[in-house]
Amino acid sequence: MQSFVGVGVFRGRVIGPVRHMPAALTAPPAGEALDGSTSAETATASLKEAGATVKAALTERASRATGDGKAVLEATALMATDPMLIKAAIKLINKGSSAERAIWDAGDTVAAMLISLGGYMAERSHDVLDVRSRIVAALRGVPAPEIPDSPVPFILVADDLAPADTATLDPTKVVALVTAGGGPQSHTAIIARSLGLPAVVAAAGVAALEEGADVFVDGSAGTVTTDPGDAERAAVAVWLEKASLLDVFDGQGQLADGTRLALLANVGGAKDAQEAAAANAEGVGLLRTEFCFLGHSTEPSHEDQVAAYKGVFDAFGGKKVVVRTLDAGADKPLPFLTDSTEPNPALGVRGYRTDTSTPGVLARQLAAIADAADQSNAHVWVMAPMISTPAEAADFAALCATAGLNTPGVMVEVPSAALTSRHLLDRVEFASLGTNDLTQYAMAADRQLGTLAALNDPWQPAVLSLILATVEGAVAQAKHSVSRGLEDSLPKPVGVCGEAAADPALAVVLAGLGVSSLSMTPRALPAVAAVLRTVTMEQARQLAYLAVGAASASEARELVRAGLPALAELGL
Ligand code: PEP
Ligand code: MG
């Protein structure tokens, strides 16, 4: 028996066989020519055969898939024998290229041509690049670079996953996620939480797990154990019994003394929003609009944007929906907004900053949000990501006013924003703490790096202090406004929409620090709600005080967990 320790990012215990995500394909060497023993005819025949194999595999897979995954697979299957692509490759073979290099270069040419056409055609460029990788894999006789298929449910082991991998991740097949890389705020972690899959990230060494062998994954403890025995089977049985206690949220976030704390959902589009509404979320605290357009090579049209946003608003009629404007860059590149050659994208032109490098996109997005809001009865708030200064907040508020959107807000993701929240809130109506980025910037630790997972922990007292500073800034802003006779005395809302809100113990700390709402993946709502109901505001404040005063993230976590017996009772 061997144990691998990582960071648990979603609770749950499961035993299942390991399936590894195939390694990413490397490009064939530039200029690779036909070897002396292969004629152009033979290479052409192998290429056509590889195309047909890929098409058949994708068509078969699509026939068993549903929803978005099915559509993605069907579109890619069609591309595999697309005459434009194959003809372009055969031309190159006839000029002496190897089959692999020919399809590689033909893929680049066809993708570039589609991008130049823009709109729907440009979107297809991704299918072309995906299919050419699959054809190269078939030519090499190695597994296609995709989530493996299996007749039985399995535990997916990968280096890390990208947001696009969700399209083909079937949660009835994948029963847990384990990654060697990624941190607790990485996209693998976000995907796992949104699908409700037990997950462990930053588990060094798991690449060596034997394919097909059973392992035990404990998403709460953050461990992966080989050769599971009776003890592990018993742990799974206990978990299954407790899990049913955490199935439902009744739609009202509150503490034991009746203090209300709105529990909202993080969503990436209409489908998520419908699921969030079915899970009784009180509203949407974060609509990640870039998720509606991931993979788009060109700016989405006004009509496409209105349709995407309206789909979300319609699921939450009469309720609050906080729309975040496009947050492109770093871990979420959008080719029409970000520069992929930047040396340090996390500190580069990302989020709100793209309004300077690509002016107009933000104003057009706000116009589309306003149109969609007019066509629905949701209470639409808008916020900008990566705001760093009060001047940026003022400029964003002015753009919102021009679009007719009257509840502008800012995300607090950069320490400078946390420390100047009083001035930010003088210029906008609310703030939302993006603790994923706030943690990476406070700790100077890339949120995608598994090796830095311990630093990248929202329990870090420095991060908690920045959250406290943000709330204190809101209180100071309210007092200052009253003294100027401007407004009533209530501080403007400061919510949390980072992954920290989905951790039931940390949710208690956030409540004690004075935040006004928590937004999370809908799957986390029942557990967070259940634990919040076991503490009064006074108890939450005391626990928050202990956490902020701790010397380390682990000390903060242990002190708070010791004060929350409900966690153990609920198996959290
Ligand atoms: C955050 O940074 O906490 C956040 C909610 O934004 P994202 O995870 O999309 O960067
Ligand atoms: Mg962020």
Side-chain angles (χ1 to χ4, degrees), residues 338-362:
T338 49
D339 169 6
S340 59
T341 63
E342 270 184 356
N344 203 347
L347 299 182
V349 182
R350 58 164 299 196
Y352 175 74
R353 300 169 183 183
T354 58
D355 189 45
T356 317
S357 54
T358 320
V361 175
L362 178 57

Side-chain angles (χ1 to χ4, degrees), residues 308-333:
Y309 309 145
K310 188 169 177 304
V312 175
F313 300 164
D314 286 347
F316 280 93
K319 303 219 170 110
K320 176 166 107 174
V321 177
V322 183
V323 183
R324 174 175 74 189
T325 54
L326 290 170
D327 182 22
D331 49 331
K332 291 166 293 194

Side-chain angles (χ1 to χ4, degrees), residues 191-209:
I191 291 168
R193 290 192 193 103
S194 72
L195 294 171
L197 290 175
V200 178
V201 300
V206 290
L209 285 170

Side-chain angles (χ1 to χ4, degrees), residues 286 288 324 327 332 411 413 434-437 447 497-498:
L286 170 64
R288 286 185 165 99
R324 174 175 74 189
D327 182 22
K332 291 166 293 194
M411 287 195 77
E413 303 181 279
T435 47
N436 309 337
D437 278 314
R447 67 193 255 187
C497 64

